[in-house]
Amino acid sequence: MLSESNARHGRFWPQEDKLMNIFNRILILGAASLALAACSQATKEETSEAANSAAADTAANTEKAGDAIETAGDKAGAAIDEAGDKAAVAASDAKQNTGEALEEAGKDMQKPN
């Protein structure tokens, strides 16, 4: 049996309003889910871009650090070479001075008293 309200609106089932409400809720939830999924994808892409940018920055900074370490190593090597050269000169000078001192001592020993 059709109620007068349902007959006026062309509805054949009395539960049609309930079904429409459920259907509308499903559509709204589906649309919200799609919106969240789209937002989630955009968030994933932004996160990926940020991670790639951070990785590129890290690589650039690592390269700069490597260059700085190499430069410091070169400077340390040059300083060690210079110190070695100075030590060799000092040792040669000391040897020369020692030889001269021994020669003088020998001359002094040969002098008559």
Side-chain angles (χ1 to χ4, degrees):
M1 280 176 70
L2 290 174
S3 70
E4 187 178 318
S5 171
N6 286 336
R8 260 186 287 145
H9 296 293
R11 296 183 186 136
F12 298 106
W13 297 319
Q15 295 140 342
E16 188 175 344
D17 287 336
K18 264 187 176 178
L19 289 174
M20 286 304 291
N21 282 338
I22 292 171
F23 182 72
N24 285 339
R25 287 180 183 171
I26 290 172
L27 283 177
I28 290 170
L29 288 173
S33 295
L34 288 174
L36 285 174
C39 180
S40 178
Q41 182 62 32
T43 302
K44 286 179 186 177
E45 289 173 6
E46 289 174 7
T47 302
S48 177
E49 288 173 9
N52 288 338
S53 177
D57 289 347
T58 301
N61 289 334
T62 301
E63 186 175 337
K64 287 179 185 176
D67 291 346
I69 290 169
E70 185 178 349
T71 300
D74 291 345
K75 287 181 180 179
I80 290 169
D81 287 344
E82 185 179 343
D85 291 344
K86 287 181 179 180
V89 169
S92 178
D93 288 349
K95 183 179 175 184
Q96 179 70 30
N97 292 339
T98 302
E100 288 173 4
L102 285 174
E103 192 176 317
E104 286 294 318
K107 286 180 186 177
D108 284 344
M109 289 175 68
Q110 289 178 355
K111 287 184 187 176
N113 288 342

